[in-house]
Amino acid sequence: GAVVSQHPSRVICKSGTSVKIECRSLDFQATTMFWYRQFPKKSLMLMATSNEGSKATYEQGVEKDKFLINHASLTLSTLTVTSAHPEDSSFYICSARAPGQGWDGDTGELFFGEGSRLTVL
Amino acid sequence: AQSVSQHNHHVILSEAASLELGCNYSYGGTVNLFWYVQYPGQHLQLLLKYFSGDPLVKGIKGFEAEFIKSKFSFNLRKPSVQWSDTAEYFCAASSGNTPLVFGKGTRLSVIA
């Protein structure tokens, strides 16, 4: 299947600094990428939908100024956690939607990155 | 609001036992349903999906799921689990091109 790569897989930073996480689709062009946050023993919470060349669409309750998302090309989306605080420590997962394959609604399959564990000290 | 519920937080089974993980969704209209698996230390992978047609969907590794519209359910089943099935299982749903909404996940532990 298609491959989505995230980098870095683990990052530790000091409170108040900014951290950038990259998400790349390696063998397909992804017009849409999604950023999720996974809390311990909880589900994946959708943070935002990232569309190439346009502003991201944030879910309710997600601070757009804190979680900056850029989707500059068809194969790369970045999530920058600005002025990180310990409560931002979490597992961040990106996913990319492969082009529709003729299914109803043209809903292409989602492929997930390995995730990035952020620890803010 | 659209939601997905997984009733079992942690399931422990012996090898060769049969598995059924519950998933219920609350969506109006057309719904697309998915089961994803996350093996320890790995990324999420698609097990199977339902868009339309035969409500009994067969996926990889011997898994299957049945879409029962009247019950708003999409339970995951496997007749005989193996130790290698130990993982976290997520049910997810979407409607058309909306983003996936995930359930909270069920951790499956298979013991020898």
Side-chain angles (χ1 to χ4, degrees), chain A residues 33-100:
Chain A
M33 289 185 173
F34 303 91
W35 285 95
Y36 291 85
R37 185 172 174 177
Q38 187 175 23
F39 295 92
K41 299 184 179 181
K42 291 191 176 182
S43 182
L44 286 79
M45 302 288 292
L46 179 65
M47 298 174 65
T49 302
S50 168
N51 293 300
E52 187 266 337
S54 63
K55 291 183 179 180
T57 303
Y58 290 81
E59 295 299 301
Q60 193 171 14
V62 178
E63 298 176 61
K64 62 179 68 175
D65 294 330
K66 180 169 190 59
F67 298 100
L68 301 179
I69 291 173
N70 183 277
H71 194 157
S73 77
L74 287 171
T75 58
L76 174 65
S77 176
T78 60
L79 167 67
T80 301
V81 183
T82 63
S83 186
H85 290 284
E87 57 265 30
D88 298 326
S89 298
S90 192
F91 196 55
Y92 294 89
I93 302 175
C94 77
S95 68
R97 175 169 281 163

Short mmCIF file of all heavy atoms in Angstrom, two decimals, chain A residues 33-100:
data_model
loop_
_atom_site.label_atom_id
_atom_site.label_comp_id
_atom_site.label_asym_id
_atom_site.label_seq_id
_atom_site.Cartn_x
_atom_site.Cartn_y
_atom_site.Cartn_z
N MET A 33 -4.65 16.01 3.60
CA MET A 33 -4.00 15.32 4.71
C MET A 33 -4.74 15.70 5.98
O MET A 33 -5.33 16.77 6.08
CB MET A 33 -2.52 15.69 4.82
CG MET A 33 -1.67 15.12 3.70
SD MET A 33 0.08 15.50 3.96
CE MET A 33 0.85 14.54 2.67
N PHE A 34 -4.70 14.80 6.95
CA PHE A 34 -5.39 15.02 8.22
C PHE A 34 -4.38 14.89 9.36
O PHE A 34 -3.49 14.04 9.32
CB PHE A 34 -6.50 13.97 8.42
CG PHE A 34 -7.52 13.95 7.31
CD1 PHE A 34 -7.35 13.12 6.22
CD2 PHE A 34 -8.64 14.76 7.38
CE1 PHE A 34 -8.29 13.09 5.19
CE2 PHE A 34 -9.58 14.74 6.35
CZ PHE A 34 -9.41 13.91 5.26
N TRP A 35 -4.57 15.72 10.36
CA TRP A 35 -3.74 15.62 11.56
C TRP A 35 -4.62 15.20 12.72
O TRP A 35 -5.66 15.80 12.99
CB TRP A 35 -3.07 16.97 11.85
CG TRP A 35 -1.94 17.25 10.91
CD1 TRP A 35 -1.98 17.98 9.76
CD2 TRP A 35 -0.60 16.80 11.03
NE1 TRP A 35 -0.76 18.00 9.17
CE2 TRP A 35 0.12 17.29 9.92
CE3 TRP A 35 0.08 16.02 11.98
CZ2 TRP A 35 1.47 17.03 9.72
CZ3 TRP A 35 1.43 15.75 11.79
CH2 TRP A 35 2.11 16.26 10.67
N TYR A 36 -4.17 14.15 13.40
CA TYR A 36 -4.88 13.63 14.56
C TYR A 36 -3.98 13.72 15.79
O TYR A 36 -2.75 13.70 15.69
CB TYR A 36 -5.26 12.15 14.36
CG TYR A 36 -6.31 11.89 13.32
CD1 TYR A 36 -5.97 11.77 11.98
CD2 TYR A 36 -7.65 11.77 13.68
CE1 TYR A 36 -6.94 11.51 11.02
CE2 TYR A 36 -8.62 11.52 12.73
CZ TYR A 36 -8.26 11.39 11.40
OH TYR A 36 -9.23 11.14 10.46
N ARG A 37 -4.64 13.75 16.94
CA ARG A 37 -3.92 13.69 18.20
C ARG A 37 -4.48 12.50 18.96
O ARG A 37 -5.70 12.32 19.04
CB ARG A 37 -4.15 14.99 18.98
CG ARG A 37 -3.37 15.10 20.26
CD ARG A 37 -3.52 16.49 20.83
NE ARG A 37 -2.88 16.58 22.13
CZ ARG A 37 -2.78 17.67 22.86
NH1 ARG A 37 -3.32 18.80 22.41
NH2 ARG A 37 -2.19 17.66 24.03
N GLN A 38 -3.59 11.69 19.48
CA GLN A 38 -4.02 10.49 20.19
C GLN A 38 -3.61 10.58 21.65
O GLN A 38 -2.44 10.68 21.98
CB GLN A 38 -3.41 9.24 19.55
CG GLN A 38 -3.94 7.94 20.13
CD GLN A 38 -3.39 6.72 19.40
OE1 GLN A 38 -2.34 6.78 18.78
NE2 GLN A 38 -4.11 5.61 19.47
N PHE A 39 -4.61 10.56 22.51
CA PHE A 39 -4.35 10.60 23.94
C PHE A 39 -4.27 9.16 24.47
O PHE A 39 -4.88 8.27 23.91
CB PHE A 39 -5.47 11.35 24.66
CG PHE A 39 -5.55 12.80 24.29
CD1 PHE A 39 -6.37 13.23 23.26
CD2 PHE A 39 -4.78 13.74 24.97
CE1 PHE A 39 -6.44 14.57 22.91
CE2 PHE A 39 -4.85 15.09 24.62
CZ PHE A 39 -5.68 15.50 23.58
N PRO A 40 -3.55 8.97 25.58
CA PRO A 40 -3.44 7.63 26.14
C PRO A 40 -4.81 7.03 26.42
O PRO A 40 -5.67 7.68 26.99
CB PRO A 40 -2.65 7.85 27.43
CG PRO A 40 -1.89 9.11 27.19
CD PRO A 40 -2.78 9.96 26.33
N LYS A 41 -4.99 5.81 25.96
CA LYS A 41 -6.22 5.06 26.18
C LYS A 41 -7.45 5.77 25.62
O LYS A 41 -8.58 5.52 26.02
CB LYS A 41 -6.44 4.78 27.68
CG LYS A 41 -5.33 3.95 28.30
CD LYS A 41 -5.63 3.61 29.74
CE LYS A 41 -4.51 2.75 30.31
NZ LYS A 41 -4.77 2.39 31.71
N LYS A 42 -7.23 6.63 24.67
CA LYS A 42 -8.36 7.31 24.06
C LYS A 42 -8.25 7.24 22.54
O LYS A 42 -7.29 6.74 21.99
CB LYS A 42 -8.42 8.77 24.53
CG LYS A 42 -8.79 8.92 25.98
CD LYS A 42 -9.09 10.36 26.33
CE LYS A 42 -9.57 10.47 27.77
NZ LYS A 42 -9.91 11.88 28.12
N SER A 43 -9.25 7.79 21.92
CA SER A 43 -9.32 7.67 20.48
C SER A 43 -8.44 8.70 19.79
O SER A 43 -7.82 9.54 20.42
CB SER A 43 -10.76 7.88 20.04
OG SER A 43 -10.87 7.74 18.65
N LEU A 44 -8.39 8.60 18.49
CA LEU A 44 -7.73 9.62 17.71
C LEU A 44 -8.69 10.78 17.54
O LEU A 44 -9.82 10.61 17.09
CB LEU A 44 -7.35 9.09 16.32
CG LEU A 44 -6.19 8.13 16.23
CD1 LEU A 44 -6.60 6.74 16.64
CD2 LEU A 44 -5.63 8.12 14.82
N MET A 45 -8.23 11.95 17.91
CA MET A 45 -9.05 13.14 17.79
C MET A 45 -8.57 13.93 16.57
O MET A 45 -7.41 14.32 16.50
CB MET A 45 -8.93 14.01 19.04
CG MET A 45 -9.32 13.27 20.30
SD MET A 45 -11.08 12.99 20.42
CE MET A 45 -11.65 14.66 20.63
N LEU A 46 -9.47 14.16 15.65
CA LEU A 46 -9.10 14.94 14.48
C LEU A 46 -8.84 16.38 14.90
O LEU A 46 -9.67 17.01 15.55
CB LEU A 46 -10.22 14.89 13.44
CG LEU A 46 -9.99 15.69 12.17
CD1 LEU A 46 -8.82 15.12 11.38
CD2 LEU A 46 -11.25 15.71 11.32
N MET A 47 -7.68 16.90 14.50
CA MET A 47 -7.33 18.28 14.81
C MET A 47 -7.70 19.20 13.65
O MET A 47 -8.30 20.26 13.84
CB MET A 47 -5.84 18.41 15.09
CG MET A 47 -5.35 17.62 16.28
SD MET A 47 -3.57 17.69 16.43
CE MET A 47 -3.32 19.43 16.78
N ALA A 48 -7.29 18.78 12.45
CA ALA A 48 -7.50 19.66 11.30
C ALA A 48 -7.38 18.87 10.01
O ALA A 48 -6.75 17.81 9.95
CB ALA A 48 -6.49 20.79 11.31
N THR A 49 -7.99 19.43 9.00
CA THR A 49 -7.90 18.90 7.64
C THR A 49 -7.07 19.87 6.83
O THR A 49 -7.35 21.07 6.80
CB THR A 49 -9.30 18.77 7.02
OG1 THR A 49 -10.09 17.90 7.85
CG2 THR A 49 -9.21 18.21 5.61
N SER A 50 -6.05 19.33 6.20
CA SER A 50 -5.09 20.16 5.48
C SER A 50 -5.25 19.93 3.98
O SER A 50 -5.12 18.82 3.50
CB SER A 50 -3.68 19.76 5.93
OG SER A 50 -2.69 20.33 5.10
N ASN A 51 -5.56 20.99 3.25
CA ASN A 51 -5.70 20.90 1.81
C ASN A 51 -4.57 21.63 1.13
O ASN A 51 -4.25 22.76 1.49
CB ASN A 51 -7.04 21.48 1.37
CG ASN A 51 -8.21 20.66 1.86
OD1 ASN A 51 -8.34 19.48 1.54
ND2 ASN A 51 -9.07 21.28 2.65
N GLU A 52 -3.99 21.01 0.13
CA GLU A 52 -2.85 21.57 -0.56
C GLU A 52 -3.20 22.93 -1.15
O GLU A 52 -4.22 23.09 -1.85
CB GLU A 52 -2.38 20.61 -1.66
CG GLU A 52 -1.09 21.03 -2.34
CD GLU A 52 -1.35 21.83 -3.60
OE1 GLU A 52 -2.44 21.69 -4.18
OE2 GLU A 52 -0.45 22.58 -4.01
N GLY A 53 -2.38 23.91 -0.82
CA GLY A 53 -2.54 25.23 -1.39
C GLY A 53 -3.59 26.11 -0.75
O GLY A 53 -3.84 27.23 -1.22
N SER A 54 -4.21 25.64 0.31
CA SER A 54 -5.21 26.47 0.98
C SER A 54 -5.07 26.34 2.49
O SER A 54 -4.30 25.50 2.98
CB SER A 54 -6.62 26.08 0.53
OG SER A 54 -6.91 24.77 0.91
N LYS A 55 -5.81 27.17 3.18
CA LYS A 55 -5.73 27.13 4.64
C LYS A 55 -6.35 25.85 5.19
O LYS A 55 -7.32 25.34 4.65
CB LYS A 55 -6.43 28.35 5.23
CG LYS A 55 -5.73 29.67 4.97
CD LYS A 55 -6.45 30.82 5.66
CE LYS A 55 -5.73 32.13 5.42
NZ LYS A 55 -6.42 33.27 6.09
N ALA A 56 -5.79 25.42 6.30
CA ALA A 56 -6.32 24.22 6.94
C ALA A 56 -7.67 24.51 7.59
O ALA A 56 -7.96 25.65 7.98
CB ALA A 56 -5.33 23.70 7.99
N THR A 57 -8.46 23.48 7.69
CA THR A 57 -9.74 23.57 8.38
C THR A 57 -9.59 22.91 9.74
O THR A 57 -9.33 21.71 9.83
CB THR A 57 -10.85 22.85 7.58
OG1 THR A 57 -10.91 23.43 6.27
CG2 THR A 57 -12.18 23.00 8.28
N TYR A 58 -9.77 23.69 10.79
CA TYR A 58 -9.56 23.20 12.14
C TYR A 58 -10.87 22.73 12.76
O TYR A 58 -11.92 23.30 12.53
CB TYR A 58 -8.94 24.28 13.01
CG TYR A 58 -7.50 24.61 12.65
CD1 TYR A 58 -7.20 25.46 11.60
CD2 TYR A 58 -6.46 24.04 13.36
CE1 TYR A 58 -5.89 25.74 11.25
CE2 TYR A 58 -5.14 24.32 13.05
CZ TYR A 58 -4.86 25.16 11.98
OH TYR A 58 -3.55 25.43 11.65
N GLU A 59 -10.76 21.70 13.57
CA GLU A 59 -11.92 21.22 14.31
C GLU A 59 -12.18 22.16 15.49
O GLU A 59 -11.29 22.89 15.96
CB GLU A 59 -11.68 19.79 14.81
CG GLU A 59 -11.55 18.78 13.68
CD GLU A 59 -12.80 18.70 12.82
OE1 GLU A 59 -13.88 18.39 13.36
OE2 GLU A 59 -12.70 18.96 11.60
N GLN A 60 -13.41 22.10 15.94
CA GLN A 60 -13.80 22.96 17.05
C GLN A 60 -12.93 22.66 18.26
O GLN A 60 -12.71 21.50 18.61
CB GLN A 60 -15.28 22.72 17.39
CG GLN A 60 -15.87 23.76 18.30
CD GLN A 60 -17.38 23.60 18.43
OE1 GLN A 60 -17.93 22.56 18.06
NE2 GLN A 60 -18.04 24.61 18.95
N GLY A 61 -12.45 23.71 18.90
CA GLY A 61 -11.65 23.54 20.11
C GLY A 61 -10.16 23.46 19.86
O GLY A 61 -9.37 23.46 20.82
N VAL A 62 -9.75 23.38 18.62
CA VAL A 62 -8.32 23.33 18.30
C VAL A 62 -7.83 24.73 17.96
O VAL A 62 -8.41 25.39 17.10
CB VAL A 62 -8.06 22.39 17.10
CG1 VAL A 62 -6.57 22.39 16.73
CG2 VAL A 62 -8.54 20.98 17.41
N GLU A 63 -6.81 25.19 18.67
CA GLU A 63 -6.31 26.55 18.47
C GLU A 63 -5.47 26.63 17.20
O GLU A 63 -4.36 26.08 17.14
CB GLU A 63 -5.47 26.96 19.67
CG GLU A 63 -6.21 26.99 20.99
CD GLU A 63 -5.27 27.32 22.13
OE1 GLU A 63 -4.67 28.42 22.11
OE2 GLU A 63 -5.11 26.48 23.04
N LYS A 64 -5.95 27.34 16.22
CA LYS A 64 -5.23 27.44 14.95
C LYS A 64 -3.93 28.21 15.07
O LYS A 64 -2.99 27.98 14.32
CB LYS A 64 -6.13 28.05 13.89
CG LYS A 64 -6.60 29.44 14.17
CD LYS A 64 -7.46 29.97 13.04
CE LYS A 64 -8.77 29.25 12.95
NZ LYS A 64 -9.68 29.83 11.92
N ASP A 65 -3.85 29.12 16.03
CA ASP A 65 -2.61 29.88 16.20
C ASP A 65 -1.56 29.08 16.94
O ASP A 65 -0.38 29.42 16.91
CB ASP A 65 -2.89 31.18 16.95
CG ASP A 65 -3.76 32.13 16.15
OD1 ASP A 65 -3.67 32.08 14.90
OD2 ASP A 65 -4.53 32.88 16.75
N LYS A 66 -1.98 28.06 17.62
CA LYS A 66 -1.05 27.23 18.37
C LYS A 66 -0.56 26.06 17.51
O LYS A 66 0.60 25.67 17.57
CB LYS A 66 -1.70 26.70 19.63
CG LYS A 66 -0.78 25.84 20.47
CD LYS A 66 -1.37 25.56 21.82
CE LYS A 66 -0.31 24.90 22.70
NZ LYS A 66 0.89 25.74 22.86
N PHE A 67 -1.46 25.51 16.75
CA PHE A 67 -1.12 24.35 15.90
C PHE A 67 -1.18 24.82 14.44
O PHE A 67 -2.21 24.79 13.79
CB PHE A 67 -2.10 23.20 16.14
CG PHE A 67 -2.08 22.67 17.54
CD1 PHE A 67 -3.05 23.05 18.47
CD2 PHE A 67 -1.09 21.79 17.95
CE1 PHE A 67 -3.02 22.56 19.77
CE2 PHE A 67 -1.06 21.29 19.24
CZ PHE A 67 -2.02 21.68 20.16
N LEU A 68 -0.03 25.27 13.96
CA LEU A 68 0.05 25.80 12.60
C LEU A 68 0.23 24.67 11.61
O LEU A 68 1.14 23.86 11.73
CB LEU A 68 1.22 26.79 12.49
CG LEU A 68 1.17 28.00 13.43
CD1 LEU A 68 2.40 28.87 13.22
CD2 LEU A 68 -0.11 28.81 13.21
N ILE A 69 -0.62 24.64 10.61
CA ILE A 69 -0.56 23.59 9.61
C ILE A 69 -0.33 24.21 8.25
O ILE A 69 -1.02 25.16 7.85
CB ILE A 69 -1.84 22.75 9.61
CG1 ILE A 69 -1.91 21.94 10.91
CG2 ILE A 69 -1.88 21.82 8.40
CD1 ILE A 69 -3.21 21.21 11.10
N ASN A 70 0.66 23.66 7.56
CA ASN A 70 1.00 24.13 6.23
C ASN A 70 1.03 22.95 5.28
O ASN A 70 1.61 21.91 5.59
CB ASN A 70 2.37 24.82 6.25
CG ASN A 70 2.73 25.39 4.90
OD1 ASN A 70 3.23 24.69 4.03
ND2 ASN A 70 2.45 26.66 4.71
N HIS A 71 0.40 23.10 4.14
CA HIS A 71 0.35 22.00 3.15
C HIS A 71 0.82 22.60 1.83
O HIS A 71 0.04 22.88 0.93
CB HIS A 71 -1.08 21.49 3.05
CG HIS A 71 -1.21 20.18 2.34
ND1 HIS A 71 -2.28 19.33 2.54
CD2 HIS A 71 -0.42 19.55 1.45
CE1 HIS A 71 -2.16 18.26 1.79
NE2 HIS A 71 -1.03 18.37 1.12
N ALA A 72 2.13 22.79 1.75
CA ALA A 72 2.71 23.55 0.65
C ALA A 72 2.79 22.78 -0.65
O ALA A 72 2.85 23.37 -1.73
CB ALA A 72 4.10 24.05 1.05
N SER A 73 2.82 21.46 -0.57
CA SER A 73 2.92 20.68 -1.80
C SER A 73 2.02 19.45 -1.69
O SER A 73 1.46 19.18 -0.62
CB SER A 73 4.36 20.24 -2.04
OG SER A 73 4.70 19.15 -1.19
N LEU A 74 1.90 18.72 -2.76
CA LEU A 74 1.01 17.56 -2.78
C LEU A 74 1.56 16.38 -2.01
O LEU A 74 0.89 15.36 -1.86
CB LEU A 74 0.73 17.15 -4.23
CG LEU A 74 -0.20 18.07 -5.00
CD1 LEU A 74 -0.23 17.69 -6.48
CD2 LEU A 74 -1.61 18.03 -4.43
N THR A 75 2.79 16.50 -1.52
CA THR A 75 3.38 15.38 -0.80
C THR A 75 3.85 15.76 0.60
O THR A 75 4.44 14.93 1.30
CB THR A 75 4.58 14.79 -1.57
OG1 THR A 75 5.55 15.82 -1.77
CG2 THR A 75 4.13 14.22 -2.92
N LEU A 76 3.62 16.99 1.02
CA LEU A 76 4.15 17.41 2.32
C LEU A 76 3.17 18.32 3.06
O LEU A 76 2.68 19.30 2.51
CB LEU A 76 5.48 18.16 2.13
CG LEU A 76 6.07 18.80 3.39
CD1 LEU A 76 6.46 17.74 4.42
CD2 LEU A 76 7.28 19.66 3.03
N SER A 77 2.91 17.94 4.31
CA SER A 77 2.16 18.80 5.22
C SER A 77 2.97 18.88 6.51
O SER A 77 3.59 17.90 6.92
CB SER A 77 0.77 18.23 5.51
OG SER A 77 0.09 19.03 6.45
N THR A 78 2.97 20.05 7.12
CA THR A 78 3.68 20.21 8.38
C THR A 78 2.76 20.73 9.47
O THR A 78 1.83 21.50 9.20
CB THR A 78 4.88 21.17 8.24
OG1 THR A 78 4.39 22.45 7.84
CG2 THR A 78 5.88 20.66 7.23
N LEU A 79 3.01 20.25 10.68
CA LEU A 79 2.31 20.72 11.87
C LEU A 79 3.34 21.35 12.78
O LEU A 79 4.33 20.69 13.15
CB LEU A 79 1.62 19.55 12.58
CG LEU A 79 1.11 19.80 14.00
CD1 LEU A 79 -0.04 20.79 13.98
CD2 LEU A 79 0.66 18.50 14.66
N THR A 80 3.15 22.61 13.11
CA THR A 80 4.06 23.28 14.04
C THR A 80 3.31 23.58 15.32
O THR A 80 2.30 24.28 15.30
CB THR A 80 4.61 24.58 13.43
OG1 THR A 80 5.30 24.28 12.21
CG2 THR A 80 5.57 25.25 14.40
N VAL A 81 3.82 23.04 16.42
CA VAL A 81 3.25 23.33 17.73
C VAL A 81 4.03 24.52 18.28
O VAL A 81 5.23 24.42 18.56
CB VAL A 81 3.37 22.12 18.67
CG1 VAL A 81 2.71 22.42 20.02
CG2 VAL A 81 2.75 20.88 18.04
N THR A 82 3.37 25.66 18.38
CA THR A 82 4.05 26.87 18.80
C THR A 82 3.92 27.07 20.31
O THR A 82 2.90 26.70 20.91
CB THR A 82 3.47 28.09 18.08
OG1 THR A 82 2.08 28.22 18.45
CG2 THR A 82 3.56 27.92 16.57
N SER A 83 4.97 27.63 20.88
CA SER A 83 4.99 27.92 22.32
C SER A 83 4.44 26.71 23.09
O SER A 83 3.44 26.80 23.81
CB SER A 83 4.17 29.17 22.62
OG SER A 83 4.30 29.53 23.97
N ALA A 84 5.12 25.60 22.91
CA ALA A 84 4.61 24.34 23.47
C ALA A 84 4.58 24.36 24.99
O ALA A 84 5.45 24.96 25.64
CB ALA A 84 5.48 23.19 22.97
N HIS A 85 3.58 23.69 25.53
CA HIS A 85 3.43 23.55 26.98
C HIS A 85 3.31 22.05 27.29
O HIS A 85 2.98 21.25 26.42
CB HIS A 85 2.20 24.30 27.47
CG HIS A 85 2.34 25.78 27.40
ND1 HIS A 85 3.11 26.50 28.31
CD2 HIS A 85 1.85 26.68 26.53
CE1 HIS A 85 3.06 27.78 27.99
NE2 HIS A 85 2.30 27.91 26.92
N PRO A 86 3.56 21.68 28.53
CA PRO A 86 3.47 20.25 28.89
C PRO A 86 2.15 19.60 28.50
O PRO A 86 2.13 18.42 28.13
CB PRO A 86 3.68 20.27 30.41
CG PRO A 86 4.56 21.45 30.65
CD PRO A 86 4.11 22.48 29.65
N GLU A 87 1.05 20.35 28.54
CA GLU A 87 -0.23 19.76 28.17
C GLU A 87 -0.34 19.44 26.68
O GLU A 87 -1.27 18.78 26.25
CB GLU A 87 -1.40 20.65 28.60
CG GLU A 87 -1.37 22.05 28.05
CD GLU A 87 -0.73 23.03 29.01
OE1 GLU A 87 0.15 22.63 29.80
OE2 GLU A 87 -1.12 24.22 28.96
N ASP A 88 0.63 19.95 25.89
CA ASP A 88 0.65 19.63 24.47
C ASP A 88 1.34 18.29 24.21
O ASP A 88 1.33 17.79 23.07
CB ASP A 88 1.39 20.72 23.68
CG ASP A 88 0.70 22.06 23.78
OD1 ASP A 88 -0.55 22.09 23.86
OD2 ASP A 88 1.42 23.09 23.81
N SER A 89 1.94 17.73 25.26
CA SER A 89 2.58 16.43 25.11
C SER A 89 1.54 15.41 24.67
O SER A 89 0.50 15.26 25.30
CB SER A 89 3.20 15.99 26.44
OG SER A 89 4.20 16.90 26.83
N SER A 90 1.84 14.73 23.59
CA SER A 90 0.86 13.80 23.03
C SER A 90 1.48 13.06 21.86
O SER A 90 2.64 13.26 21.52
CB SER A 90 -0.37 14.58 22.57
OG SER A 90 -1.44 13.70 22.29
N PHE A 91 0.68 12.22 21.26
CA PHE A 91 1.08 11.47 20.08
C PHE A 91 0.31 12.08 18.90
O PHE A 91 -0.92 12.08 18.90
CB PHE A 91 0.73 9.99 20.27
CG PHE A 91 1.41 9.05 19.33
CD1 PHE A 91 2.79 9.05 19.20
CD2 PHE A 91 0.68 8.16 18.57
CE1 PHE A 91 3.43 8.17 18.34
CE2 PHE A 91 1.31 7.29 17.70
CZ PHE A 91 2.69 7.29 17.59
N TYR A 92 1.03 12.62 17.95
CA TYR A 92 0.41 13.28 16.81
C TYR A 92 0.57 12.38 15.58
O TYR A 92 1.67 11.92 15.26
CB TYR A 92 1.05 14.65 16.56
CG TYR A 92 0.78 15.62 17.68
CD1 TYR A 92 1.63 15.70 18.78
CD2 TYR A 92 -0.33 16.46 17.65
CE1 TYR A 92 1.38 16.56 19.83
CE2 TYR A 92 -0.59 17.34 18.70
CZ TYR A 92 0.27 17.38 19.77
OH TYR A 92 0.01 18.24 20.81
N ILE A 93 -0.53 12.16 14.91
CA ILE A 93 -0.53 11.25 13.76
C ILE A 93 -1.11 11.98 12.55
O ILE A 93 -2.14 12.65 12.65
CB ILE A 93 -1.38 9.99 14.02
CG1 ILE A 93 -0.86 9.23 15.25
CG2 ILE A 93 -1.38 9.07 12.81
CD1 ILE A 93 -1.73 8.04 15.62
N CYS A 94 -0.44 11.84 11.44
CA CYS A 94 -0.98 12.40 10.21
C CYS A 94 -1.48 11.28 9.32
O CYS A 94 -1.07 10.13 9.45
CB CYS A 94 0.05 13.24 9.46
SG CYS A 94 1.28 12.28 8.58
N SER A 95 -2.38 11.61 8.46
CA SER A 95 -2.83 10.65 7.47
C SER A 95 -3.05 11.38 6.16
O SER A 95 -3.32 12.57 6.13
CB SER A 95 -4.11 9.94 7.91
OG SER A 95 -5.19 10.83 7.95
N ALA A 96 -2.92 10.64 5.10
CA ALA A 96 -3.10 11.21 3.77
C ALA A 96 -4.10 10.37 3.00
O ALA A 96 -4.13 9.15 3.12
CB ALA A 96 -1.76 11.24 3.03
N ARG A 97 -4.91 11.06 2.26
CA ARG A 97 -5.95 10.36 1.50
C ARG A 97 -5.43 10.09 0.10
O ARG A 97 -5.08 11.03 -0.62
CB ARG A 97 -7.21 11.20 1.46
CG ARG A 97 -8.32 10.62 0.60
CD ARG A 97 -9.61 11.35 0.82
NE ARG A 97 -10.29 10.93 2.04
CZ ARG A 97 -11.25 11.61 2.64
NH1 ARG A 97 -11.64 12.76 2.16
NH2 ARG A 97 -11.82 11.15 3.73
N ALA A 98 -5.39 8.84 -0.25
CA ALA A 98 -4.98 8.49 -1.61
C ALA A 98 -6.08 8.89 -2.57
O ALA A 98 -7.24 9.00 -2.19
CB ALA A 98 -4.72 6.98 -1.68
N PRO A 99 -5.75 9.12 -3.81
CA PRO A 99 -6.77 9.51 -4.79
C PRO A 99 -7.90 8.51 -4.84
O PRO A 99 -7.70 7.32 -4.66
CB PRO A 99 -6.00 9.55 -6.11
CG PRO A 99 -4.59 9.76 -5.72
CD PRO A 99 -4.42 9.08 -4.39
N GLY A 100 -9.11 8.99 -5.07
CA GLY A 100 -10.27 8.14 -5.12
C GLY A 100 -10.11 7.03 -6.13
O GLY A 100 -9.52 7.21 -7.19
#
